[in-house]
Amino acid sequence: MRKVLILDDGEDLLYAMQRLLSFYNLSVRVVKDSKAFKDEFESFKPDIAIIDVLLPDGDGRQICKTLREDPSNKEVTLVLFSASPKHLTDFKKMGADGAIEKPFGISDFIHTINTAAQSRKIFLFNQKN
């Protein structure tokens, strides 16, 4: 079972995303702040991390960049999301495999996560060859 970790400061959105992704047979954990995310990331070891950009205690883009710079996280799919499109324009520079603009539709959300995961697999394959 694939594992997903979501960081967002909105409880309602976290609840909805957890329920939605659980429906797709994913193991999902959610956290509301950067410190909890870092701790949970280390212990849970997710396959996919979905990170909000604008957080009360940090910038999700920097969290993403830091994760991507660590070689032990090379296989983790990282997705940024934000209600502000201007904060997503540089998502690839931050090491993210995908970006989701809030609000989002369910099919777009699932499609973006799947596309980002596939993109990560292709990237890793090309790195080996």
Side-chain angles (χ1 to χ4, degrees):
M1 180 179 287
R2 296 182 80 194
K3 300 185 288 186
V4 180
L5 177 60
I6 305 170
L7 168 60
D8 191 89
D9 57 329
E11 285 187 45
D12 292 341
L13 183 58
L14 284 175
Y15 176 77
M17 288 191 297
Q18 185 173 29
R19 298 282 299 183
L20 172 66
L21 293 175
S22 295
F23 177 78
Y24 285 92
N25 203 30
L26 298 167
S27 175
V28 183
R29 292 195 186 166
V30 298
V31 293
K32 296 188 298 185
D33 64 68
S34 299
K35 182 185 179 332
F37 176 82
K38 291 173 187 174
D39 294 342
E40 194 67 27
F41 189 91
E42 290 299 318
S43 65
F44 186 52
K45 302 198 182 313
D47 300 300
I48 301 169
I50 303 170
I51 306 164
D52 189 18
V53 171
L54 300 175
L55 299 162
D57 65 340
D59 185 328
R61 294 171 297 186
Q62 190 57 49
I63 294 168
C64 182
K65 185 176 180 187
T66 301
L67 289 172
R68 187 55 73 213
E69 289 171 348
D70 182 341
S72 68
N73 299 324
K74 70 180 181 185
E75 294 186 15
V76 179
T77 300
L78 301 175
V79 177
L80 289 171
F81 70 120
S82 178
S84 177
K86 70 180 181 178
H87 290 107
L88 297 173
T89 57
D90 61 349
F91 76 92
K92 289 210 180 261
K93 289 181 185 175
M94 296 294 121
D97 301 296
I100 300 169
E101 184 179 334
K102 297 178 197 173
F104 50 81
I106 292 172
S107 61
D108 289 338
F109 179 67
I110 297 300
H111 175 75
T112 300
I113 292 169
N114 286 332
T115 301
Q118 188 62 31
S119 173
R120 173 75 0 208
K121 285 180 187 175
I122 291 169
F123 174 80
L124 292 172
F125 177 79
N126 289 334
Q127 292 294 307
K128 291 178 182 176
N129 296 319

